[in-house]
Amino acid sequence: MSKLFAPVQLTTPQGPGLKLRNRTVLAPMCQYSVTNRDGVPHAWHLSHLGARAAGGFGLVITEAAAITAQGRISDHDAGIWNDTQTHAWAPIVDFIHSQGAAAGIQLAHAGAKASTYAWLPQAAADGKVGSISAQDGGWETTGPSETDVFGLVSPAAMSVEQIKVSIQDWADAARRADEAGFDLVQLHGAHGYLIHQFLSPLTNTRTDEYGGSYENRTRYAREVIGAVRAAWPDHKPLAIRFSGDDWVEGGWRIEDTARFAAEAYALGVTAFDLSSAGIGKYYGPTGPGFQVPLATAVKHAVPDAFVTAVGMINDASQAEQVLVMGAADGVSIGRAALKNPNWPAAAAAELGAAQDEVPFAAQYWRAHW
Ligand code: FNR
Protein backbone atom coordinates (compact mmCIF):
# COMPACT_ATOMS: atom_id res chain seq x y z
CA MET A 1 0.00 0.00 0.00
CA SER A 2 1.13 3.53 -0.67
CA LYS A 3 2.18 5.70 2.26
CA LEU A 4 -0.27 8.40 1.15
CA PHE A 5 -3.21 6.04 1.58
CA ALA A 6 -2.09 4.49 4.85
CA PRO A 7 -4.61 5.53 7.53
CA VAL A 8 -3.31 7.51 10.47
CA GLN A 9 -4.55 8.23 13.96
CA LEU A 10 -3.86 11.63 15.50
CA THR A 11 -2.95 11.91 19.14
CA THR A 12 -4.81 14.05 21.64
CA PRO A 13 -4.29 14.89 25.32
CA GLN A 14 -6.50 11.84 26.04
CA GLY A 15 -4.37 9.50 23.92
CA PRO A 16 -5.04 8.16 20.43
CA GLY A 17 -7.84 10.14 18.78
CA LEU A 18 -9.12 11.10 15.35
CA LYS A 19 -8.55 8.52 12.62
CA LEU A 20 -7.97 9.70 9.07
CA ARG A 21 -8.60 7.26 6.23
CA ASN A 22 -5.54 8.60 4.40
CA ARG A 23 -2.92 11.36 4.64
CA THR A 24 -4.38 13.82 2.16
CA VAL A 25 -5.65 17.07 3.65
CA LEU A 26 -7.67 19.71 1.84
CA ALA A 27 -5.81 22.95 2.56
CA PRO A 28 -7.88 25.80 3.99
CA MET A 29 -8.91 28.11 1.17
CA CYS A 30 -10.93 31.32 1.46
CA GLN A 31 -13.90 31.21 -0.85
CA TYR A 32 -14.95 34.88 -0.52
CA SER A 33 -18.44 33.57 -1.13
CA VAL A 34 -20.53 34.64 1.84
CA THR A 35 -23.44 36.53 0.34
CA ASN A 36 -24.85 38.77 3.06
CA ARG A 37 -21.68 39.96 4.77
CA ASP A 38 -22.85 37.90 7.74
CA GLY A 39 -20.16 35.21 7.83
CA VAL A 40 -22.77 32.46 7.39
CA PRO A 41 -21.61 29.52 5.24
CA HIS A 42 -24.18 28.23 2.77
CA ALA A 43 -24.63 26.04 -0.31
CA TRP A 44 -21.35 27.20 -1.86
CA HIS A 45 -19.37 26.05 1.17
CA LEU A 46 -21.23 22.75 1.27
CA SER A 47 -20.51 22.24 -2.39
CA HIS A 48 -16.82 23.22 -2.16
CA LEU A 49 -16.03 21.16 0.94
CA GLY A 50 -18.52 18.38 0.20
CA ALA A 51 -17.14 17.71 -3.27
CA ARG A 52 -13.65 17.31 -1.86
CA ALA A 53 -14.83 15.03 0.94
CA ALA A 54 -16.49 12.89 -1.75
CA GLY A 55 -13.28 13.17 -3.76
CA GLY A 56 -11.46 11.22 -1.06
CA PHE A 57 -9.62 13.62 1.21
CA GLY A 58 -8.81 12.19 4.62
CA LEU A 59 -9.28 15.56 6.28
CA VAL A 60 -11.18 18.49 4.82
CA ILE A 61 -10.34 21.86 6.37
CA THR A 62 -12.59 24.88 5.91
CA GLU A 63 -11.43 28.25 4.76
CA ALA A 64 -10.16 30.68 7.39
CA ALA A 65 -13.28 31.10 9.53
CA ALA A 66 -13.23 34.38 11.42
CA ILE A 67 -13.51 34.21 15.20
CA THR A 68 -14.97 37.74 15.30
CA ALA A 69 -16.54 40.06 12.73
CA GLN A 70 -13.61 42.41 13.21
CA GLY A 71 -11.15 39.60 12.45
CA ARG A 72 -12.46 38.91 8.95
CA ILE A 73 -10.02 39.36 6.08
CA SER A 74 -12.96 40.61 4.01
CA ASP A 75 -16.70 41.00 4.38
CA HIS A 76 -17.17 37.90 2.19
CA ASP A 77 -15.43 35.58 4.68
CA ALA A 78 -17.17 32.80 6.55
CA GLY A 79 -17.12 32.99 10.33
CA ILE A 80 -17.87 31.15 13.54
CA TRP A 81 -18.52 33.92 16.04
CA ASN A 82 -22.26 33.40 16.49
CA ASP A 83 -24.93 30.71 16.73
CA THR A 84 -26.35 31.28 13.24
CA GLN A 85 -22.96 30.49 11.72
CA THR A 86 -22.46 27.52 14.04
CA HIS A 87 -25.82 26.04 13.01
CA ALA A 88 -25.00 26.63 9.34
CA TRP A 89 -21.70 24.73 9.63
CA ALA A 90 -23.33 21.67 11.25
CA PRO A 91 -24.95 20.16 8.10
CA ILE A 92 -21.77 20.83 6.14
CA VAL A 93 -19.82 18.87 8.75
CA ASP A 94 -22.44 16.10 8.60
CA PHE A 95 -22.06 15.81 4.84
CA ILE A 96 -18.25 15.70 5.07
CA HIS A 97 -18.61 12.86 7.58
CA SER A 98 -21.10 11.02 5.36
CA GLN A 99 -18.36 10.84 2.73
CA GLY A 100 -15.87 9.26 5.12
CA ALA A 101 -13.71 12.33 5.64
CA ALA A 102 -12.89 14.11 8.88
CA ALA A 103 -13.91 17.76 9.19
CA GLY A 104 -11.52 20.46 10.37
CA ILE A 105 -12.13 24.17 10.72
CA GLN A 106 -9.44 26.78 10.44
CA LEU A 107 -10.03 29.46 13.08
CA ALA A 108 -8.67 32.82 12.06
CA HIS A 109 -8.25 36.44 13.00
CA ALA A 110 -6.69 38.68 10.38
CA GLY A 111 -5.53 41.42 12.77
CA ALA A 112 -3.80 44.14 10.76
CA LYS A 113 -4.81 42.37 7.54
CA ALA A 114 -8.56 42.56 8.26
CA SER A 115 -11.06 44.79 6.49
CA THR A 116 -9.71 44.31 2.97
CA TYR A 117 -11.69 43.97 -0.22
CA ALA A 118 -12.53 40.38 -1.11
CA TRP A 119 -10.38 39.01 -3.91
CA LEU A 120 -13.19 38.98 -6.45
CA PRO A 121 -12.58 39.69 -10.13
CA GLN A 122 -15.09 42.55 -10.29
CA ALA A 123 -13.72 44.24 -7.18
CA ALA A 124 -10.21 44.17 -8.65
CA ALA A 125 -11.50 45.53 -11.98
CA ASP A 126 -13.15 48.39 -10.06
CA GLY A 127 -9.86 49.14 -8.31
CA LYS A 128 -11.23 47.81 -5.01
CA VAL A 129 -8.09 46.27 -3.57
CA GLY A 130 -6.47 46.72 -0.18
CA SER A 131 -8.24 48.27 2.81
CA ILE A 132 -12.01 48.68 2.45
CA SER A 133 -12.93 52.38 2.35
CA ALA A 134 -15.17 53.83 5.05
CA GLN A 135 -18.02 54.37 2.58
CA ASP A 136 -17.80 50.72 1.54
CA GLY A 137 -18.11 49.65 5.16
CA GLY A 138 -14.47 49.27 6.20
CA TRP A 139 -13.89 48.78 9.92
CA GLU A 140 -11.14 49.55 12.39
CA THR A 141 -8.44 46.91 12.60
CA THR A 142 -6.23 46.00 15.54
CA GLY A 143 -2.94 44.16 15.80
CA PRO A 144 0.05 43.86 18.10
CA SER A 145 1.49 47.17 16.88
CA GLU A 146 0.81 49.90 14.38
CA THR A 147 2.42 48.96 11.07
CA ASP A 148 2.57 49.93 7.40
CA VAL A 149 4.28 46.69 6.34
CA PHE A 150 1.13 45.42 4.62
CA GLY A 151 0.42 48.61 2.67
CA LEU A 152 -2.99 48.72 4.39
CA VAL A 153 -4.57 51.18 6.81
CA SER A 154 -2.51 50.76 9.98
CA PRO A 155 -4.16 48.80 12.78
CA ALA A 156 -4.47 50.25 16.27
CA ALA A 157 -2.13 48.56 18.73
CA MET A 158 -4.11 46.25 21.00
CA SER A 159 -4.30 47.06 24.70
CA VAL A 160 -3.59 44.22 27.12
CA GLU A 161 -7.31 44.25 27.89
CA GLN A 162 -8.09 43.75 24.17
CA ILE A 163 -5.56 40.93 24.01
CA LYS A 164 -7.33 39.13 26.87
CA VAL A 165 -10.73 39.56 25.17
CA SER A 166 -9.26 38.29 21.92
CA ILE A 167 -7.90 35.14 23.59
CA GLN A 168 -11.40 34.46 24.91
CA ASP A 169 -12.77 34.94 21.35
CA TRP A 170 -10.54 32.09 20.11
CA ALA A 171 -11.78 29.85 22.92
CA ASP A 172 -15.43 30.72 22.22
CA ALA A 173 -14.97 29.94 18.54
CA ALA A 174 -13.43 26.56 19.41
CA ARG A 175 -16.41 25.76 21.62
CA ARG A 176 -18.76 26.59 18.73
CA ALA A 177 -16.67 24.47 16.38
CA ASP A 178 -17.24 21.56 18.73
CA GLU A 179 -20.99 22.28 18.78
CA ALA A 180 -21.01 22.24 14.98
CA GLY A 181 -19.44 18.77 15.08
CA PHE A 182 -15.95 19.52 13.77
CA ASP A 183 -13.31 16.88 14.54
CA LEU A 184 -10.30 19.18 14.49
CA VAL A 185 -9.56 22.86 14.98
CA GLN A 186 -6.63 24.39 13.14
CA LEU A 187 -5.42 27.75 14.45
CA HIS A 188 -4.34 30.05 11.64
CA GLY A 189 -0.87 31.04 12.76
CA ALA A 190 0.46 31.78 9.27
CA HIS A 191 0.44 34.24 6.36
CA GLY A 192 0.79 37.45 8.34
CA TYR A 193 -2.51 37.14 10.22
CA LEU A 194 -2.94 38.00 13.88
CA ILE A 195 -1.11 35.13 15.60
CA HIS A 196 1.76 35.41 13.12
CA GLN A 197 1.79 39.20 13.60
CA PHE A 198 2.52 38.63 17.28
CA LEU A 199 5.24 36.06 16.51
CA SER A 200 7.15 38.08 13.95
CA PRO A 201 9.47 40.91 14.98
CA LEU A 202 8.52 42.56 11.67
CA THR A 203 5.01 43.30 12.94
CA ASN A 204 5.39 43.10 16.70
CA THR A 205 7.29 46.08 18.10
CA ARG A 206 5.55 46.11 21.48
CA THR A 207 7.58 46.85 24.56
CA ASP A 208 5.30 45.13 27.09
CA GLU A 209 5.08 41.45 27.98
CA TYR A 210 3.65 40.64 24.50
CA GLY A 211 6.58 41.99 22.49
CA GLY A 212 10.36 42.16 22.30
CA SER A 213 11.97 38.85 23.26
CA TYR A 214 11.07 35.48 21.73
CA GLU A 215 9.42 34.62 25.04
CA ASN A 216 7.21 37.72 24.88
CA ARG A 217 6.35 37.53 21.16
CA THR A 218 5.20 33.93 21.57
CA ARG A 219 3.09 34.73 24.65
CA TYR A 220 -0.09 35.55 22.71
CA ALA A 221 0.11 32.30 20.73
CA ARG A 222 0.79 30.31 23.90
CA GLU A 223 -2.19 31.88 25.66
CA VAL A 224 -4.45 31.31 22.64
CA ILE A 225 -3.40 27.65 22.53
CA GLY A 226 -3.98 27.29 26.27
CA ALA A 227 -7.45 28.86 26.11
CA VAL A 228 -8.50 26.91 23.03
CA ARG A 229 -7.18 23.65 24.40
CA ALA A 230 -9.25 24.21 27.56
CA ALA A 231 -12.41 24.95 25.54
CA TRP A 232 -11.91 22.21 22.91
CA PRO A 233 -12.66 18.63 24.03
CA ASP A 234 -9.62 16.67 25.16
CA HIS A 235 -10.43 13.79 22.84
CA LYS A 236 -10.24 16.03 19.74
CA PRO A 237 -6.91 17.06 18.18
CA LEU A 238 -5.84 20.69 18.06
CA ALA A 239 -3.77 21.78 15.06
CA ILE A 240 -1.88 24.90 14.07
CA ARG A 241 -0.69 26.24 10.75
CA PHE A 242 2.53 28.22 10.85
CA SER A 243 4.42 30.34 8.44
CA GLY A 244 7.56 28.35 9.11
CA ASP A 245 9.73 31.21 7.94
CA ASP A 246 9.04 34.84 6.99
CA TRP A 247 11.93 34.62 4.55
CA VAL A 248 12.55 38.27 5.30
CA GLU A 249 15.66 39.69 6.99
CA GLY A 250 15.01 40.15 10.71
CA GLY A 251 11.79 38.12 10.60
CA TRP A 252 10.43 34.93 12.19
CA ARG A 253 12.67 32.04 11.15
CA ILE A 254 12.36 28.26 10.94
CA GLU A 255 14.51 27.86 14.05
CA ASP A 256 11.89 29.91 15.93
CA THR A 257 9.08 27.81 14.48
CA ALA A 258 10.73 24.51 15.43
CA ARG A 259 11.36 25.79 18.95
CA PHE A 260 7.80 27.06 19.29
CA ALA A 261 6.31 23.87 17.82
CA ALA A 262 7.82 21.92 20.71
CA GLU A 263 6.25 24.38 23.18
CA ALA A 264 2.89 24.19 21.37
CA TYR A 265 3.07 20.39 21.48
CA ALA A 266 3.64 20.52 25.23
CA LEU A 267 0.49 22.66 25.45
CA GLY A 268 -1.56 20.08 23.57
CA VAL A 269 -1.18 20.87 19.86
CA THR A 270 -0.70 17.58 18.04
CA ALA A 271 -0.98 18.51 14.35
CA PHE A 272 1.13 21.04 12.46
CA ASP A 273 0.90 22.35 8.91
CA LEU A 274 3.87 24.24 7.51
CA SER A 275 3.35 27.10 5.13
CA SER A 276 5.50 30.24 4.95
CA ALA A 277 5.68 34.01 4.47
CA GLY A 278 2.96 36.68 4.54
CA ILE A 279 4.81 39.59 6.10
CA GLY A 280 7.13 41.92 4.23
CA LYS A 281 8.95 41.54 0.95
CA TYR A 282 9.42 37.84 0.23
CA TYR A 283 12.77 36.56 -0.93
CA GLY A 284 12.21 32.86 -0.26
CA PRO A 285 12.30 29.91 -2.60
CA THR A 286 9.51 28.69 -4.83
CA GLY A 287 8.91 25.60 -6.94
CA PRO A 288 7.58 22.08 -6.40
CA GLY A 289 7.47 21.18 -2.72
CA PHE A 290 9.38 24.32 -1.74
CA GLN A 291 8.00 24.37 1.81
CA VAL A 292 8.59 20.68 2.56
CA PRO A 293 11.88 21.36 4.41
CA LEU A 294 9.92 23.54 6.87
CA ALA A 295 7.66 20.59 7.68
CA THR A 296 10.69 18.35 8.08
CA ALA A 297 12.31 20.76 10.53
CA VAL A 298 9.14 20.79 12.63
CA LYS A 299 8.82 17.02 12.36
CA HIS A 300 12.24 16.73 14.00
CA ALA A 301 11.08 19.03 16.82
CA VAL A 302 7.79 17.18 17.43
CA PRO A 303 8.32 13.59 16.26
CA ASP A 304 5.05 12.32 17.77
CA ALA A 305 2.85 14.95 16.13
CA PHE A 306 1.10 14.72 12.72
CA VAL A 307 3.06 17.12 10.54
CA THR A 308 1.87 18.04 7.07
CA ALA A 309 3.67 19.75 4.22
CA VAL A 310 1.95 22.15 1.83
CA GLY A 311 2.78 24.21 -1.21
CA MET A 312 3.01 23.18 -4.85
CA ILE A 313 2.59 19.52 -4.05
CA ASN A 314 0.60 18.85 -7.16
CA ASP A 315 0.78 15.22 -8.15
CA ALA A 316 0.49 11.82 -6.57
CA SER A 317 4.06 10.59 -6.94
CA GLN A 318 5.41 13.86 -5.58
CA ALA A 319 3.13 13.58 -2.53
CA GLU A 320 4.07 9.94 -2.06
CA GLN A 321 7.75 10.85 -2.22
CA VAL A 322 7.38 13.39 0.59
CA LEU A 323 6.07 10.60 2.81
CA VAL A 324 8.46 7.88 1.61
CA MET A 325 11.38 10.15 2.41
CA GLY A 326 10.00 10.76 5.88
CA ALA A 327 9.89 14.50 5.21
CA ALA A 328 6.34 14.80 6.61
CA ASP A 329 3.41 12.63 7.75
CA GLY A 330 0.86 13.97 5.31
CA VAL A 331 0.27 16.54 2.61
CA SER A 332 -2.11 19.47 2.31
CA ILE A 333 -3.34 20.12 -1.20
CA GLY A 334 -4.62 23.53 -2.24
CA ARG A 335 -4.90 24.67 -5.84
CA ALA A 336 -4.56 21.18 -7.31
CA ALA A 337 -7.73 20.30 -5.38
CA LEU A 338 -9.51 23.34 -6.77
CA LYS A 339 -8.71 22.04 -10.24
CA ASN A 340 -9.69 18.49 -9.35
CA PRO A 341 -11.95 17.89 -6.32
CA ASN A 342 -11.27 14.16 -6.80
CA TRP A 343 -7.52 14.66 -6.38
CA PRO A 344 -7.19 11.86 -3.76
CA ALA A 345 -9.26 9.37 -5.78
CA ALA A 346 -7.12 10.10 -8.84
CA ALA A 347 -3.93 9.85 -6.76
CA ALA A 348 -5.02 6.50 -5.34
CA ALA A 349 -5.58 5.16 -8.86
CA GLU A 350 -2.20 6.49 -9.99
CA LEU A 351 -0.39 4.97 -7.03
CA GLY A 352 -2.11 1.65 -7.62
CA ALA A 353 -3.94 1.61 -4.31
CA ALA A 354 -6.63 -1.05 -4.60
CA GLN A 355 -10.22 0.15 -4.32
CA ASP A 356 -10.77 -1.85 -1.13
CA GLU A 357 -7.66 -0.36 0.47
CA VAL A 358 -9.09 3.09 -0.03
CA PRO A 359 -12.28 3.51 1.92
CA PHE A 360 -13.93 6.09 -0.29
CA ALA A 361 -17.67 6.35 0.17
CA ALA A 362 -19.45 4.00 -2.25
CA GLN A 363 -20.59 5.83 -5.34
CA TYR A 364 -21.63 4.34 -8.67
CA TRP A 365 -19.32 6.65 -10.63
CA ARG A 366 -16.27 5.19 -8.95
CA ALA A 367 -16.81 1.94 -10.83
CA HIS A 368 -16.32 3.94 -14.01
CA TRP A 369 -13.30 5.93 -12.90
C1 FNR B 1 -5.37 29.97 0.07
N1 FNR B 1 -4.55 29.73 1.19
C2 FNR B 1 -5.06 29.88 2.46
N2 FNR B 1 -4.32 29.54 3.54
C3 FNR B 1 -4.86 29.55 4.79
O1 FNR B 1 -4.16 29.21 5.74
N3 FNR B 1 -6.15 29.94 4.96
C4 FNR B 1 -6.95 30.34 3.94
O2 FNR B 1 -8.13 30.63 4.13
C5 FNR B 1 -6.37 30.36 2.64
N4 FNR B 1 -7.09 30.80 1.56
C6 FNR B 1 -6.65 30.52 0.26
C7 FNR B 1 -7.51 30.72 -0.83
C8 FNR B 1 -7.09 30.35 -2.10
C9 FNR B 1 -8.04 30.51 -3.25
C10 FNR B 1 -5.81 29.79 -2.28
C11 FNR B 1 -5.34 29.35 -3.67
C12 FNR B 1 -4.96 29.64 -1.23
C13 FNR B 1 -3.26 29.04 1.01
C14 FNR B 1 -3.47 27.54 0.79
O3 FNR B 1 -4.01 26.92 1.93
C15 FNR B 1 -2.14 26.84 0.44
O4 FNR B 1 -1.26 26.96 1.52
C16 FNR B 1 -1.49 27.42 -0.81
O5 FNR B 1 -2.43 27.52 -1.85
C17 FNR B 1 -0.31 26.58 -1.25
O6 FNR B 1 -0.69 25.26 -1.55
P1 FNR B 1 -0.94 24.77 -3.08
O7 FNR B 1 -2.08 25.57 -3.63
O8 FNR B 1 0.32 25.05 -3.83
O9 FNR B 1 -1.26 23.32 -2.94
Coordinates of all heavy atoms in Angstrom, one line a residue, residues 195-239:
I195 N -2.1 35.9 14.8 CA -1.1 35.1 15.6 C 0.3 35.3 15.1 O 1.3 35.6 15.8 CB -1.5 33.6 15.6 CG1 -2.8 33.5 16.4 CG2 -0.4 32.8 16.2 CD1 -3.3 32.0 16.5
H196 N 0.4 35.2 13.7 CA 1.8 35.4 13.1 C 2.3 36.8 13.4 O 3.5 37.0 13.6 CB 1.6 35.1 11.6 CG 2.9 35.1 10.9 ND1 2.9 35.1 9.5 CD2 4.2 35.2 11.2 CE1 4.2 35.1 9.1 NE2 5.0 35.2 10.1
Q197 N 1.4 37.8 13.4 CA 1.8 39.2 13.6 C 2.4 39.3 15.0 O 3.3 40.1 15.2 CB 0.6 40.2 13.5 CG 0.1 40.4 12.1 CD -1.3 40.9 12.0 OE1 -1.8 41.6 12.9 NE2 -2.0 40.7 10.9
F198 N 1.9 38.6 16.0 CA 2.5 38.6 17.3 C 3.9 37.9 17.3 O 4.8 38.4 17.9 CB 1.6 38.0 18.3 CG 0.6 38.9 19.0 CD1 -0.6 39.1 18.5 CD2 1.0 39.7 20.1 CE1 -1.5 40.0 19.0 CE2 0.1 40.6 20.7 CZ -1.2 40.7 20.1
L199 N 4.0 36.8 16.5 CA 5.2 36.1 16.5 C 6.4 36.8 15.8 O 7.5 36.8 16.3 CB 5.0 34.7 15.8 CG 4.0 33.7 16.4 CD1 3.9 32.5 15.5 CD2 4.5 33.3 17.8
S200 N 6.1 37.5 14.8 CA 7.1 38.1 13.9 C 7.6 39.4 14.5 O 6.8 40.4 14.6 CB 6.7 38.2 12.5 OG 7.7 38.8 11.7
P201 N 8.9 39.6 14.6 CA 9.5 40.9 15.0 C 9.2 42.0 13.9 O 9.3 43.2 14.2 CB 11.0 40.7 15.1 CG 11.2 39.3 14.8 CD 10.0 38.6 14.4
L202 N 8.8 41.6 12.7 CA 8.5 42.6 11.7 C 7.2 43.3 12.0 O 7.0 44.4 11.5 CB 8.4 41.9 10.3 CG 9.6 41.1 9.8 CD1 9.3 40.3 8.6 CD2 10.8 42.0 9.6
T203 N 6.3 42.7 12.7 CA 5.0 43.3 12.9 C 4.7 43.5 14.4 O 3.8 44.2 14.8 CB 3.9 42.4 12.4 OG1 4.2 41.1 12.6 CG2 3.7 42.7 10.9
N204 N 5.6 42.9 15.3 CA 5.4 43.1 16.7 C 6.6 43.9 17.3 O 7.7 43.4 17.4 CB 5.3 41.7 17.4 CG 5.1 41.8 18.9 OD1 5.2 42.9 19.5 ND2 4.7 40.7 19.5
T205 N 6.3 45.2 17.5 CA 7.3 46.1 18.1 C 6.9 46.5 19.5 O 7.3 47.6 20.0 CB 7.5 47.3 17.2 OG1 6.3 47.9 16.9 CG2 8.1 46.9 15.8
R206 N 6.0 45.8 20.1 CA 5.6 46.1 21.5 C 6.7 46.1 22.5 O 7.7 45.3 22.3 CB 4.5 45.1 22.0 CG 3.2 45.0 21.1 CD 2.3 44.0 21.6 NE 1.7 44.4 22.9 CZ 0.5 45.0 22.9 NH1 -0.2 45.2 21.8 NH2 -0.1 45.3 24.1
T207 N 6.5 46.8 23.5 CA 7.6 46.9 24.6 C 7.1 46.3 25.9 O 7.8 46.3 26.9 CB 8.1 48.3 24.8 OG1 6.9 49.1 25.0 CG2 8.8 48.8 23.6
D208 N 5.8 45.7 25.9 CA 5.3 45.1 27.1 C 5.6 43.6 27.1 O 6.4 43.1 26.3 CB 3.8 45.5 27.3 CG 2.9 44.9 26.1 OD1 3.5 44.2 25.3 OD2 1.7 45.1 26.2
E209 N 4.8 42.9 27.9 CA 5.1 41.4 28.0 C 4.7 40.7 26.7 O 4.9 39.5 26.7 CB 4.4 40.9 29.2 CG 2.9 40.8 29.2 CD 2.3 42.0 29.9 OE1 2.8 43.2 29.7 OE2 1.2 41.9 30.5
Y210 N 4.0 41.3 25.8 CA 3.6 40.6 24.5 C 4.6 41.0 23.3 O 4.3 40.6 22.2 CB 2.2 41.0 24.1 CG 1.2 40.3 25.1 CD1 0.7 41.0 26.2 CD2 0.8 39.0 24.9 CE1 -0.2 40.3 27.0 CE2 0.0 38.3 25.7 CZ -0.6 39.0 26.8 OH -1.4 38.4 27.6
G211 N 5.7 41.6 23.6 CA 6.6 42.0 22.5 C 8.0 42.0 22.9 O 8.3 41.9 24.1
G212 N 8.9 42.1 22.0 CA 10.4 42.2 22.3 C 11.0 40.8 22.2 O 11.2 40.3 21.0
S213 N 11.3 40.1 23.3 CA 12.0 38.8 23.3 C 11.1 37.8 22.6 O 9.9 37.9 22.5 CB 12.3 38.4 24.7 OG 11.1 38.2 25.4
Y214 N 11.8 36.7 22.2 CA 11.1 35.5 21.7 C 10.0 35.1 22.7 O 8.8 34.8 22.3 CB 12.1 34.3 21.5 CG 11.4 33.0 21.3 CD1 11.0 32.5 20.1 CD2 11.1 32.2 22.4 CE1 10.4 31.3 19.9 CE2 10.5 31.0 22.3 CZ 10.1 30.5 21.1 OH 9.5 29.3 20.9
E215 N 10.4 35.0 24.0 CA 9.4 34.6 25.0 C 8.2 35.5 25.0 O 7.0 35.0 25.1 CB 10.2 34.8 26.4 CG 9.4 34.5 27.6 CD 9.0 33.1 27.8 OE1 9.7 32.2 27.2 OE2 8.1 32.8 28.7
N216 N 8.4 36.8 24.9 CA 7.2 37.7 24.9 C 6.4 37.7 23.6 O 5.2 37.7 23.6 CB 7.7 39.1 25.1 CG 8.1 39.4 26.6 OD1 7.8 38.5 27.4 ND2 8.6 40.5 26.9
R217 N 7.1 37.5 22.4 CA 6.4 37.5 21.2 C 5.5 36.3 21.0 O 4.5 36.2 20.3 CB 7.3 37.7 20.0 CG 7.8 39.1 19.7 CD 8.7 39.2 18.6 NE 10.0 38.8 18.9 CZ 10.6 37.6 18.4 NH1 9.9 36.9 17.5 NH2 11.8 37.3 18.8
T218 N 5.9 35.2 21.7 CA 5.2 33.9 21.6 C 4.1 33.8 22.6 O 3.3 32.9 22.6 CB 6.1 32.7 21.7 OG1 6.9 32.9 22.9 CG2 7.1 32.6 20.5
R219 N 4.0 34.8 23.5 CA 3.1 34.7 24.7 C 1.6 34.7 24.2 O 0.8 33.8 24.6 CB 3.3 35.9 25.6 CG 2.5 35.8 26.9 CD 2.7 37.0 27.8 NE 4.1 37.3 28.1 CZ 4.9 36.6 28.9 NH1 4.4 35.6 29.6 NH2 6.2 37.0 29.0
Y220 N 1.3 35.5 23.2 CA -0.1 35.5 22.7 C -0.5 34.2 22.2 O -1.5 33.6 22.5 CB -0.3 36.6 21.6 CG -1.6 36.7 21.0 CD1 -2.7 37.2 21.8 CD2 -1.9 36.3 19.8 CE1 -4.0 37.3 21.2 CE2 -3.2 36.3 19.2 CZ -4.2 36.8 20.0 OH -5.5 36.9 19.4
A221 N 0.4 33.6 21.3 CA 0.1 32.3 20.7 C 0.0 31.2 21.8 O -0.9 30.4 21.8 CB 1.2 31.9 19.7
R222 N 0.9 31.3 22.8 CA 0.8 30.3 23.9 C -0.5 30.4 24.7 O -1.2 29.4 25.0 CB 1.9 30.5 24.9 CG 3.2 29.7 24.6 CD 4.1 29.6 25.8 NE 4.4 30.9 26.5 CZ 5.2 31.8 26.0 NH1 6.0 31.6 25.0 NH2 5.4 32.9 26.7
E223 N -0.9 31.7 24.9 CA -2.2 31.9 25.7 C -3.4 31.5 24.8 O -4.4 31.0 25.4 CB -2.3 33.3 26.1 CG -1.2 33.6 27.2 CD -1.3 35.0 27.8 OE1 -2.1 35.8 27.4 OE2 -0.5 35.3 28.7
V224 N -3.4 31.7 23.5 CA -4.5 31.3 22.6 C -4.5 29.8 22.7 O -5.6 29.2 22.8 CB -4.2 31.8 21.2 CG1 -5.2 31.1 20.2 CG2 -4.4 33.3 21.1
I225 N -3.4 29.1 22.5 CA -3.4 27.6 22.5 C -4.0 27.1 23.9 O -4.8 26.2 23.9 CB -2.0 27.1 22.3 CG1 -1.5 27.4 20.8 CG2 -1.9 25.6 22.6 CD1 -0.1 27.2 20.6
G226 N -3.5 27.7 24.9 CA -4.0 27.3 26.3 C -5.5 27.4 26.4 O -6.2 26.5 26.9
A227 N -6.0 28.6 26.0 CA -7.5 28.9 26.1 C -8.3 28.0 25.2 O -9.3 27.4 25.6 CB -7.7 30.3 25.8
V228 N -7.8 27.8 24.0 CA -8.5 26.9 23.0 C -8.5 25.5 23.5 O -9.5 24.8 23.5 CB -7.9 27.1 21.6 CG1 -8.5 26.0 20.7 CG2 -8.3 28.4 21.0
R229 N -7.3 25.0 24.0 CA -7.2 23.6 24.4 C -8.1 23.4 25.6 O -8.7 22.3 25.6 CB -5.7 23.4 24.8 CG -5.3 21.9 24.9 CD -5.4 21.0 23.8 NE -6.7 20.4 23.7 CZ -7.1 19.5 22.8 NH1 -6.2 19.0 22.0 NH2 -8.3 19.0 22.8
A230 N -8.3 24.4 26.4 CA -9.3 24.2 27.6 C -10.7 24.2 27.1 O -11.5 23.5 27.7 CB -9.0 25.3 28.6
A231 N -11.0 24.9 26.0 CA -12.4 24.9 25.5 C -12.7 23.8 24.6 O -13.9 23.5 24.4 CB -12.7 26.3 24.8
W232 N -11.7 23.2 23.9 CA -11.9 22.2 22.9 C -11.8 20.9 23.6 O -10.9 20.7 24.4 CB -10.8 22.4 21.9 CG -10.8 21.5 20.7 CD1 -9.7 20.7 20.4 CD2 -11.7 21.4 19.6 NE1 -10.0 20.1 19.2 CE2 -11.2 20.5 18.7 CE3 -13.0 22.0 19.4 CZ2 -11.9 20.1 17.5 CZ3 -13.7 21.6 18.2 CH2 -13.1 20.7 17.3
P233 N -12.7 19.9 23.3 CA -12.7 18.6 24.0 C -11.3 17.9 24.0 O -10.7 17.9 22.9 CB -13.7 17.8 23.3 CG -14.6 18.8 22.7 CD -13.8 20.0 22.3
D234 N -10.9 17.3 25.1 CA -9.6 16.7 25.2 C -9.4 15.5 24.2 O -8.3 15.1 23.9 CB -9.5 16.1 26.6 CG -8.9 17.1 27.5 OD1 -8.5 18.2 27.1 OD2 -8.9 16.8 28.8
H235 N -10.6 14.9 23.7 CA -10.4 13.8 22.8 C -10.3 14.2 21.4 O -10.2 13.4 20.5 CB -11.6 12.8 23.0 CG -12.9 13.4 22.6 ND1 -13.7 14.2 23.4 CD2 -13.6 13.2 21.4 CE1 -14.8 14.5 22.7 NE2 -14.8 14.0 21.5
K236 N -10.3 15.6 21.1 CA -10.2 16.0 19.7 C -8.9 16.7 19.5 O -8.4 17.5 20.4 CB -11.4 17.0 19.4 CG -12.8 16.4 19.4 CD -13.8 17.3 18.9 CE -15.2 16.7 18.8 NZ -16.2 17.6 18.3
P237 N -8.2 16.5 18.4 CA -6.9 17.1 18.2 C -7.0 18.6 17.8 O -7.9 19.0 17.2 CB -6.4 16.3 17.0 CG -7.5 15.7 16.3 CD -8.6 15.5 17.3
L238 N -6.0 19.3 18.4 CA -5.8 20.7 18.1 C -4.6 20.8 17.1 O -3.6 20.3 17.4 CB -5.6 21.5 19.4 CG -5.3 23.0 19.2 CD1 -6.4 23.7 18.5 CD2 -5.1 23.6 20.6
A239 N -4.8 21.6 16.1 CA -3.8 21.8 15.1 C -3.4 23.3 14.9 O -4.2 24.1 15.4 CB -4.3 21.3 13.7

